[in-house]
Amino acid sequence: MPTEVRRERMLTLLTEQEFARVAELAEVFGVSTVTVRGDLDVLEEQGRVRRVRGGAMAAVPTPSAEPSFELSLGTAAVEKALIAKTAARLVTSGESVLMGAGTTTAHVARELVARTELTEITVFTNGLRTALELEPALPRFSVIVTGGSLRRAQHSLVDPLGGKILEGIRASTVFLGCGGVHPEAGITNVNLPDAEMKQRMLRAATRRVVVADSAKLGAIEMAPICALSEIDLLITGESADPDLLAVLRDRGLEIRIAS
């Protein structure tokens, strides 16, 4: 990971959870404690963090970098709806589906419900809003909520206990949203708890699909989800940068443009 990217992610983590120990940061970013202290020294010189005994905290309390579900819902809404239609067409009756929390996956849930010919679909999700979108399809669909600890920003259920149910299933397809899709950094997320749940979902599915509007392409967020090689398909919008799409395809990623 490039040094500047690591420092930006470190700052985002400190902003989100207010304080982190040096040893914790070293484990999260896979570097030595000496490297972490050097990064924190630079960030402190820039006035962005404040060093305290054993760790550091953001210099000035700021609002979370993570937008709320409601705010994100109105962003690129038309593009997300088209992406969702394309994603929903991948599902056939009798399949089991995993769906992460997020606005784009909530759109996918809505489109699945609209496909009235689909029957005997089992959906596992850690997103409360996703589950509510699926409710009108009962009893054609079985909807299972993972359980766990509630995160307010995305109305998502995470650890502790959030991933227990995922350890005992194998789904046909997983649909995941994300915060960034980058040729080198791979698939990333704004926050760590949801990223960890998405990692568990990837391990529990046969076909792995990322749904991301074009603004997410080229972006790098703090929490890694997986490498590009761990994804079977990316569905994005027509506004995606053609040059960036070419680079992603060169990395072996299959991409479908929703229109």
Side-chain angles (χ1 to χ4, degrees):
M1 183 187 302
T3 301
E4 289 305 316
V5 173
R6 184 180 65 248
R7 288 172 181 168
E8 288 299 321
R9 289 185 180 178
M10 198 175 291
L11 180 63
T12 302
L13 186 150
L14 289 169
T15 301
E16 183 177 88
Q17 66 182 50
E18 297 182 2
F19 170 80
R21 297 186 180 280
V22 169
E24 176 188 359
L25 293 171
E27 182 177 356
V28 168
F29 295 102
V31 296
S32 69
T33 55
V34 173
T35 299
V36 169
R37 290 190 182 95
D39 289 342
L40 293 176
D41 286 342
V42 172
L43 291 171
E44 186 174 42
E45 289 172 5
Q46 296 171 350
R48 305 169 81 186
V49 305
R50 181 162 61 89
R51 297 293 300 276
V52 295
R53 184 177 178 83
M57 59 194 304
V60 179
T62 58
S64 172
E66 180 182 12
S68 69
F69 182 99
E70 288 72 21
L71 182 61
S72 298
L73 194 61
T75 304
V78 173
E79 188 176 45
K80 289 177 181 177
L82 291 172
I83 291 169
K85 284 181 183 293
T86 300
R89 286 196 288 266
L90 297 175
V91 179
T92 58
S93 292
E95 284 195 25
S96 53
V97 178
L98 271 165
M99 302 185 73
T103 55
T104 309
T105 46
H107 277 283
V108 176
R110 194 175 301 169
E111 293 299 329
L112 286 173
V113 171
R115 289 190 54 195
T116 54
E117 81 281 8
L118 286 179
T119 59
E120 297 182 6
I121 299 293
T122 302
V123 183
F124 299 85
T125 183
N126 74 318
L128 297 184
R129 289 293 295 266
T130 302
L132 289 173
E133 289 289 350
L134 292 164
E135 187 176 11
L138 301 176
R140 287 188 297 122
F141 291 11
S142 296
V143 180
I144 301 167
V145 181
T146 61
S149 302
L150 178 63
R151 290 192 74 252
R152 172 184 252 174
Q154 294 299 316
H155 310 307
S156 58
L157 297 167
V158 298
D159 283 332
L161 302 179
K164 288 293 183 182
I165 197 170
L166 301 176
E167 297 171 2
I169 64 169
R170 186 72 181 179
S172 306
T173 304
V174 60
F175 294 107
L176 295 180
C178 65
V181 180
H182 190 273
E184 281 78 40
I187 313 299
T188 55
N189 203 61
V190 174
N191 70 81
L192 288 167
D194 276 316
E196 290 170 353
M197 285 295 291
K198 289 173 181 179
Q199 289 169 353
R200 290 173 183 245
M201 289 184 173
L202 286 171
R203 292 194 292 268
T206 301
R207 178 174 54 179
R208 298 154 298 183
V209 181
V210 168
V211 287
D213 64 82
S214 55
K216 306 288 178 58
L217 273 58
I220 302 174
E221 297 295 350
M222 176 195 64
I225 298 174
C226 67
L228 294 182
S229 60
E230 297 177 63
I231 296 301
D232 297 308
L233 176 65
L234 167 68
I235 303 176
T236 190
E238 288 184 312
S239 300
D241 181 349
D243 293 334
L244 182 53
L245 289 175
V247 173
L248 291 169
R249 286 188 170 115
D250 285 343
R251 297 290 196 278
L253 181 61
E254 181 182 347
I255 301 172
R256 194 167 300 180
I257 305 299
S259 60

